[in-house]
Structures are given as C-alpha cells and as structure tokens.
Amino acid sequence: MKTPAIRAGKPSDATGIAALINREIRSGLAIWRYAERTEHDIKDMLSDRIAAGYALYVAEVNDKIVGWAGYGPFRTGEGYAQTMEHSVHVTPDYRRQGIASSLLSKVIEHAENAGIHCLIGAIAATNDASLEMHKRFGFVEVGRLPEVGWKFDKWLTLVLMQRTYQS
C-alpha cells in the first residue's frame, strides 16, 4: 500500500471525512451514534473548527481520505477553554500502519503550539489498540465510565484518557 500523505484538513474534505464517520457509525464502536451525519453537517463542523484555530488533519492515499484527526471543545463554558477533546479515525483497510499515530502526533503538536493545557480522549474500553496508542503518546487513564453507552445491543464502557501540557 502507498504511504499516506498527512496534511491540514479543509472544509472541502467533508465528503471523505463524512464517509469515514458514517462507516464507523454503521459498523464500529468508536462513535456512539445511530444516525449518520450529512456531508453538510461535517462541512459545518470542519469550517467551525478551522475558523476557531483548532487542529484538523487528514491522511490521503491517491486523493482518497483514509484517516482524519482533530480536536474541538471538551465542554462548553469559558472555564474549559484550554481543554480539548480529540478524535482520530482511520479506515479499516489502513489501520495498524502508523497512520493514527501520525495523525495523533500532529494533533498533539498543534495543541501544544496553540497553548492548550490538556487533551482528552474518550475511547471505548474494548478498543485496546487506541488505548495503547494513547499511552505511548503520554496519555493517562483518568476515568472509566461503565455502561454509559449502548450500541449493537450491548452496554459500552467509556475510558477517558488525558494528556496534560506543562503550564
């Protein structure tokens, strides 16, 4: 397989990112939604994040988006302004090839340069690969919320992982 190019994302990437997100909604446990997202919804989200100066990156092979990552607000309220929640998604055909690590590395670097105090990852407890990757990047488990999600006829546990930057 060809090595993907990692680049800054843009609103016109909405089609490719929506395809990744909707595939995960239909068949995976990384996104706990039932309703697929429209391309318009994704384009608005991307535009909002870019306008706010938040991280957004894509991995491309032959002009096809095979992964994306970024961050946005963890919670509403001014007190949370320096805490961001990030997402990293790679299409199944390209997993276990270092793409998620490359994307997460870019997100971490962006957050540090932007003066973000900490990044939060909310990860399904069954996603061992993501949990291990986050540990390699200095994230620590700070919480485990048993059975807070429901998808595919089973209860899901959410693991919160945090990477804090020095003040």
Side-chain angles (χ1 to χ4, degrees):
M1 287 190 184
K2 184 177 175 185
T3 302
I6 307 292
R7 64 166 174 79
K10 52 191 184 238
S12 61
D13 294 325
T15 301
I17 293 173
L20 284 173
I21 288 171
N22 288 331
R23 184 186 191 292
E24 190 62 28
I25 289 170
R26 286 189 304 274
S27 62
L29 291 176
I31 300 174
W32 298 357
R33 290 177 172 262
Y34 299 145
E36 292 188 24
R37 307 282 303 275
T38 68
E39 188 176 320
H40 180 76
D41 290 340
I42 300 300
K43 188 173 186 175
D44 285 349
M45 176 193 72
L46 300 177
S47 296
D48 290 348
R49 287 187 178 189
I50 291 167
Y54 301 146
L56 176 64
Y57 296 97
V58 297
E60 261 185 337
V61 174
N62 297 327
D63 297 322
K64 180 182 177 190
I65 294 174
V66 298
W68 80 280
Y71 64 70
F74 170 64
R75 296 190 70 173
T76 59
E78 297 82 3
Y80 294 104
Q82 297 305 311
T83 300
M84 298 289 151
E85 183 175 352
H86 70 282
S87 298
V88 179
H89 297 281
V90 176
T91 190
D93 293 344
Y94 284 87
R95 290 181 185 158
R96 301 292 219 187
Q97 297 179 37
I99 298 168
S101 291
S102 295
L103 289 165
L104 182 55
S105 178
K106 296 290 275 183
V107 166
I108 289 169
E109 179 182 7
H110 187 285
E112 187 168 25
N113 291 335
I116 299 305
H117 182 64
C118 66
L119 284 175
I120 303 292
I123 305 161
T126 56
N127 191 342
D128 293 331
S130 185
L131 294 169
E132 287 303 314
M133 176 185 70
H134 281 79
K135 285 179 190 173
R136 285 194 312 274
F137 279 93
F139 286 79
V140 295
E141 182 176 324
V142 294
R144 195 169 275 258
L145 305 172
E147 299 184 0
V148 296
W150 177 262
K151 191 171 180 186
F152 303 135
D153 297 324
K154 62 182 171 184
W155 287 108
L156 304 170
T157 295
L158 187 67
V159 176
L160 297 177
M161 297 192 77
Q162 178 176 328
R163 185 178 197 282
T164 304
Y165 298 87
Q166 299 301 316
S167 301

